[in-house]
Amino acid sequence: DTGVSQNPRHKITKRGQNVTFRCDPISEHNRLYWYRQTLGQGPEFLTYFQNEAQLEKSRLLSDRFSAERPKGSFSTLEIQRTEQGDSAMYLCASSPGQGAWETQYFGPGTRLLVL
Amino acid sequence: AQTVTQSQPEMSVQEAETVTLSCTYDTSESDYYLFWYKQPPSRQMILVIRQEAYKQQNATENRFSVNFQKAAKSFSLKISDSQLGDAAMYFCAYPNSNSGYALNFGKGTSLLVTP
């Protein structure tokens, strides 16, 4: 078990460009979550998947954001037409998805800087 | 709304001493879990301890223990025999059962450990 991995770890982009992040959850974890964390704040929920189905999106997830989890394995988070306000750490977490109140295991995050 | 409040932005403790980090939350649910996560500088978030609300006994993990007061909706973390490696941001978190148990985080407490 190698834990949750995220790539890239850092991304610098210019305003208006599109970026895509990848998350590989722990093997056989059915639930996958995306969070955003800005400096000095706790993570905020963006969206989550149960297997390949995206079941919930927060109001933070504007139309410029899209997430996928094909085949219920890895997930991607794409931000189109990036804005400076998108600069943040994007965290991915996974849990077994077999019941309620499970511990979530976090990846190292992708730090995005939009210039 | 389920909210989590950490009223101490920063705390400091000397090595080998004990420190308590505070957390309060708001919920109308009767059964739930609560979590403390640790986020060291530039490192990923890891679980410190979790508490089941229906259990009277406070959870303990080695030097970490909680003081869970369900009626007061209080969930504090006590770190005994503090070590330099305990220096980190600590987040209290409550799972939102309406969003696949995505975590609602507090703003965090930055713990400084001095020699």
Side-chain angles (χ1 to χ4, degrees), chain A residues 4 9 31 33 35 37 40-45 48 56 91 99-108, chain B residues 29 31-33 35 37 39 42 44-45 47 50 91 94-95 97-103 105-107:
Chain A
V4 179
R9 295 290 306 278
R31 283 199 192 119
Y33 303 83
Y35 296 87
Q37 185 178 23
Q41 301 294 318
E44 296 174 292
F45 168 67
Y48 95 95
E56 184 77 16
L91 297 171
W101 317 115
E102 298 171 331
T103 295
Q104 293 181 28
Y105 298 86
F106 283 80
Chain B
E29 295 177 314
D31 290 333
Y32 50 89
Y33 278 61
F35 299 85
Y37 278 87
Q39 189 177 39
S42 301
Q44 66 199 79
M45 188 107 55
L47 178 71
R50 54 185 267 162
F91 294 98
Y94 179 100
S97 60
N98 295 322
S99 296
Y101 305 97
L103 295 170
F105 286 90
K107 290 188 175 183

Side-chain angles (χ1 to χ4, degrees), chain B residues 30-108:
Chain B
S30 57
D31 290 333
Y32 50 89
Y33 278 61
L34 291 160
F35 299 85
W36 278 99
Y37 278 87
K38 169 185 177 181
Q39 189 177 39
S42 301
R43 295 179 62 186
Q44 66 199 79
M45 188 107 55
I46 58 173
L47 178 71
V48 175
I49 197 166
R50 54 185 267 162
Q51 172 75 44
E52 301 168 56
Y54 62 86
K55 284 192 173 179
Q56 299 285 342
Q57 189 173 5
N58 289 323
T60 299
E61 289 286 343
N62 301 313
R63 299 182 295 107
F64 299 87
S65 61
V66 301
N67 182 4
F68 175 52
Q69 303 289 330
K70 190 174 183 181
K73 295 180 181 175
S74 171
F75 180 57
S76 60
L77 175 69
K78 187 172 82 170
I79 306 174
S80 304
D81 185 26
S82 297
Q83 300 175 359
L84 293 177
D86 294 333
M89 283 292 290
Y90 286 81
F91 294 98
C92 178
Y94 179 100
N96 184 349
S97 60
N98 295 322
S99 296
Y101 305 97
L103 295 170
N104 290 332
F105 286 90
K107 290 188 175 183

Side-chain angles (χ1 to χ4, degrees), chain A residues 16 39 46 60 93 96:
Chain A
L39 202 60
L46 291 177
L60 294 176

